[in-house]
Amino acid sequence: MPAVLVYKQGRKLAEVEVQPRGALLGRDPHADVVLLDPLVSRHHASLLPCEGQWVVNDLQTGNGTFVNGERAQRRPLRDGDEIGIGPYLLRFRLGSLEYVPDAPDRGGSATGRDGRDGAAAGGGLELARKTMAARADAFAPETRPAPVEEPEKARPVGPRLVEESDGARCVVHALGSARTTVGTGPRARVRTALAGRREAAIVERSADGEFWVRRAGWFATVRVNGERVRVAPLRDGDVLEVGRARFRFRQGDG
């Protein structure tokens, strides 16, 4: 089973096994790998299986995701690749955790850009082998609260659109709590030249937690499972087409 080793300033904080469904990395307390730092977005990056390989996707963050020191929007991973997220370094391993040694003292993404002491910033982290959630609380040692054991349950990846368009397979777009615009323009949260319009479709979450898609203009083309729609609900596994862009809607662990 794939795994990531989480480091901060050269100190190994946790070993996290990646479940077959993939993993969400970020500041969200429901993420599979919880990284608490101001430089880390709530939904920062995802690890997903795609066509026989594992892919890391940056979820449209301001500070970016780095693979082996290079900023990457989407990158297939090889054994030993290093993912930089804020002050954290995550080493990707395809094999067992048993043979992986402690981290060497590294610079770059493994050190805190805010200059805080790594032991203090990484305090409060615990390894829960069944949930495999890594948490690093940014408290000084004397004010750091006692660790709270995580519940032993699977963590959801969260609602998302997974691109299936040619040339953009497995690119993942996390859906926000309110609305997500799909289009070609700078204000579109999901930007793709294949959408055909600056604002072609809007995916919204209703008060009861259901997701809906609606056409954003008369000339936009939106289809759900092959049927052209103006407004339609989205169910887990539905295929959403906006112009020539194709997505699969996923909700939760699927």
Side-chain angles (χ1 to χ4, degrees), residues 9-66:
Q9 289 195 340
R11 175 188 172 208
K12 186 166 72 174
L13 302 177
E15 300 173 346
V16 184
E17 290 182 353
V18 180
Q19 300 303 311
R21 62 177 171 79
L24 175 68
L25 288 64
R27 213 174 59 243
D28 190 329
H30 295 295
D32 296 280
V33 181
V34 183
L35 304 171
L36 293 186
D37 190 276
L39 296 176
V40 179
S41 297
R42 187 169 179 267
H43 293 167
H44 197 105
S46 67
L47 290 174
L48 289 176
C50 177
E51 299 179 341
Q53 60 186 347
W54 284 86
V55 177
V56 61
N57 296 279
D58 179 81
L59 300 180
Q60 300 176 328
T61 63
N63 291 324
T65 300
F66 297 78

Side-chain angles (χ1 to χ4, degrees), residues 153-184:
K153 63 179 181 180
R155 303 295 184 88
V157 172
R160 60 207 183 274
L161 293 177
V162 182
E163 283 201 52
E164 296 184 345
S165 309
D166 290 341
R169 292 185 181 276
C170 301
V171 176
V172 178
H173 306 276
L175 296 175
S177 58
R179 52 183 280 167
T180 299
T181 303
V182 182
T184 63

Side-chain angles (χ1 to χ4, degrees), residues 76-214:
L77 294 173
R78 296 174 297 179
D79 184 51
D81 279 350
E82 296 178 341
I83 305 166
I85 296 179
Y88 298 94
L89 182 143
L90 293 83
R91 182 170 296 158
F92 180 76
R93 301 309 299 252
L94 284 171
S96 169
L97 291 171
E98 307 298 332
Y99 67 89
V100 180
D102 282 348
D105 190 5
R106 300 180 60 90
S109 299
T111 61
R113 297 183 206 171
D114 54 4
R116 289 177 299 170
D117 177 71
L125 180 82
E126 63 177 78
L127 173 63
R129 296 292 294 183
K130 292 189 177 180
T131 62
M132 297 303 171
R135 170 171 291 167
D137 295 325
F139 294 99
E142 63 273 10
T143 61
R144 181 168 73 231
V148 178
E149 186 172 352
E150 297 290 337
E152 295 187 356
K153 63 179 181 180
R155 303 295 184 88
V157 172
R160 60 207 183 274
L161 293 177
V162 182
E163 283 201 52
E164 296 184 345
S165 309
D166 290 341
R169 292 185 181 276
C170 301
V171 176
V172 178
H173 306 276
L175 296 175
S177 58
R179 52 183 280 167
T180 299
T181 303
V182 182
T184 63
R187 295 186 179 182
R189 183 173 180 184
V190 178
R191 293 182 63 184
T192 170
L194 300 177
R197 310 288 299 177
R198 290 173 64 86
E199 294 186 3
I202 296 174
V203 178
E204 296 181 294
R205 190 176 208 165
S206 62
D208 59 3
E210 297 296 322
F211 280 86
W212 293 74
V213 62
R214 63 182 174 88

